[in-house]
Amino acid sequence: MDEYIDIVDIDGKPTGKSELKSVIHQKGYYHNTVHIWFYTLDGEILLSQRSAKKTICPLLWDVSVAGHIDAGESIEQAAIREIKEEIGISISKKDLHKIGVFKCFQSYENGINDNEFHHTFICELEVLLFDLIPQEEEVEALKLVSAYDFNELINHIEDDNSHFIPSNKSYYETVFQSIIKAIT
């Protein structure tokens, strides 16, 4: 879907302009996204495998839920909407715990220039894995991994191209530390 997204400047401040997502990615305009990492109190972390239909990093195992913030939408509204759309559960704003905003400026061989500010949250997963309903266009599969395995994936990020984007290693380390802090 080619929705309208608000454009921000290099510091993440609104410009007052919006454009279609396809144009934003073509021209490399700065924009906001949401990332939500789900964890269980047993120390498991939910990973989502990107759909094979995705133009960027198809079949990559990564963040539990992610998406663009629609024009005029608040960051929290986008997070709640994306969670409902991508894994089929409803949460409230109080369930979201923001851990930071992370710059991710990358260009891909297919011509996409993705200059994003990831507004990143952690959230306790209070339902079972089989209760989640993956959105077919976005999510190929879902799995829970132990905190130990998550950390191992980060530590060996260069060895395994099916999990995580190697250039974002410090981001994943921050996410991991935030989740560990939340469950201990």
Side-chain angles (χ1 to χ4, degrees), residues 107-127:
S107 295
Y108 298 91
E109 290 180 13
N110 61 4
I112 292 178
N113 298 303
D114 215 4
N115 294 316
E116 298 180 340
F117 292 90
H118 299 318
H119 293 261
T120 305
F121 300 87
I122 60 173
C123 185
E124 182 183 347
L125 183 64
E126 297 179 348
V127 300

Side-chain angles (χ1 to χ4, degrees), residues 1-174:
M1 188 169 81
D2 203 11
E3 65 266 33
Y4 275 90
I5 298 171
D6 291 330
I7 299 170
V8 298
D9 66 17
I10 195 164
D11 298 316
K13 294 184 174 46
T15 64
K17 298 177 184 173
S18 299
E19 189 53 81
L20 288 170
K21 182 169 78 170
S22 59
V23 174
I24 283 177
H25 285 163
Q26 177 189 32
K27 299 196 180 244
Y29 294 140
Y30 300 102
H31 59 285
N32 290 314
T33 63
V34 290
H35 279 199
I36 306 94
W37 291 88
F38 281 92
Y39 65 91
T40 69
L41 294 180
D42 294 334
E44 294 181 307
I45 300 164
L46 179 67
L47 297 183
S48 177
Q49 186 180 35
R50 293 171 59 84
S51 169
K53 302 170 188 171
K54 299 294 281 180
T55 56
I56 300 173
C57 301
L59 300 178
L60 180 78
W61 287 95
D62 206 340
V63 60
S64 309
V65 172
H68 288 83
I69 300 169
D70 291 343
E73 189 175 38
S74 77
I75 294 163
E76 291 82 6
Q77 287 171 329
I80 292 166
R81 176 184 51 77
E82 288 289 347
I83 291 165
K84 182 68 173 169
E85 288 175 1
E86 290 192 12
I87 61 174
I89 60 173
S90 297
I91 65 149
S92 67
K93 185 176 173 178
K94 69 175 178 48
D95 298 321
L96 295 168
H97 304 283
K98 193 163 190 176
I99 62 168
V101 180
F102 302 87
K103 293 179 182 179
C104 184
F105 303 156
Q106 296 187 18
S107 295
Y108 298 91
E109 290 180 13
N110 61 4
I112 292 178
N113 298 303
D114 215 4
N115 294 316
E116 298 180 340
F117 292 90
H118 299 318
H119 293 261
T120 305
F121 300 87
I122 60 173
C123 185
E124 182 183 347
L125 183 64
E126 297 179 348
V127 300
L128 298 173
L129 182 63
F130 64 79
D131 290 331
L132 302 176
I133 304 165
Q135 182 183 22
E136 188 178 316
E137 306 81 42
E138 298 287 332
V139 180
E140 196 75 24
L142 297 165
K143 68 178 176 181
L144 287 167
V145 297
S146 70
Y148 174 83
D149 288 341
F150 187 87
N151 193 41
E152 285 296 298
L153 289 168
I154 296 168
N155 289 336
H156 300 282
I157 200 165
E158 299 291 339
D159 304 337
D160 181 359
N161 64 8
S162 68
H163 290 81
F164 307 142
I165 297 170
S167 60
N168 295 347
K169 184 175 182 178
S170 65
Y171 164 72
Y172 299 117
E173 291 169 337
T174 300

